[in-house]
Structure formats: structure tokens, C-alpha cells
Amino acid sequence: MIGVLNAEELIRQYFEAWLTQDESGLACMFAADAVYSECYGPEYRGLDQILRWFRDWNARGKVTAWDIKGWIRQGNRIAVEWYFACVYDGEASAFDGVSIVECNAGGKICALREFQSKAEHVFPYGE
């Protein structure tokens, strides 16, 4: 089992890669057969597809914030709650989300699933 601190640092480094648009560490972070499911439907199978998506996305967009709000741990799985903001094709957007990250015995991400929530909340019964 990967250590919790190691897994948390791995996730922090992954988020930082998006903020800096630096793919150089991704091959050390993801298993060759990793599966990545984005919150709005696309799924990437294997490191080659993850790298291609990273490059393609960053050619059109820029992540402006990816702030970690909290962690829930269970063995080799970590759920990380976050706030994400970006500009993509000239349009700004932001949302809250959760990633469920599973690491293999070698300490690499083998599965990552994202879930999205609106960042703006309404209070139908008052605050």
C-alpha cells in the first residue's frame, strides 16, 4: 500500500502540473495502463492518451486555480475535494469537484475519476 503522505503529495504535484502546464512529471505519476475519467464524460485509457489530452487541452486552455479543500482516505484510494478554475478557448469557468484517486502498489495513479458540482450555491430557504 502506498503511504498516505506519498499519495497526497502525488496528487498535489499532479494539480501543480496543470497550473504550470508542465507535463514532465506525468509519466512518473501515472501507471502505463491508468484510466482517467473526466467529470463531464471523456475517458482516457493509458498514459499515452493522458499525455495527449494534457497537451491538447493546454494548447487551448489554462488552469488558473486548482485548490485542495480536503481529503478522505481509504487504503490505496483517496478522495480529494477541490475548487477548479480555468480559461478554455477564451471562456472562463469554475466549479467545485471531487476526484477519487487509486494508486497501485508501485505508488503511481492507476485510476482517477472526477465528479463536478457547481461552485455557485443558492439558498432556497435562506442562509
Side-chain angles (χ1 to χ4, degrees), residues 62-78:
K62 171 76 175 125
V63 175
T64 56
W66 206 347
D67 303 328
I68 295 171
K69 295 180 174 187
W71 309 89
I72 299 172
R73 301 164 196 90
Q74 182 183 31
N76 284 353
R77 285 186 177 172
I78 293 183

Side-chain angles (χ1 to χ4, degrees), residues 23-31 47 51 108:
E23 72 174 82
S24 64
L26 295 182
C28 295
M29 296 176 199
F30 284 89
L47 180 59
L51 289 171
K108 292 188 176 189

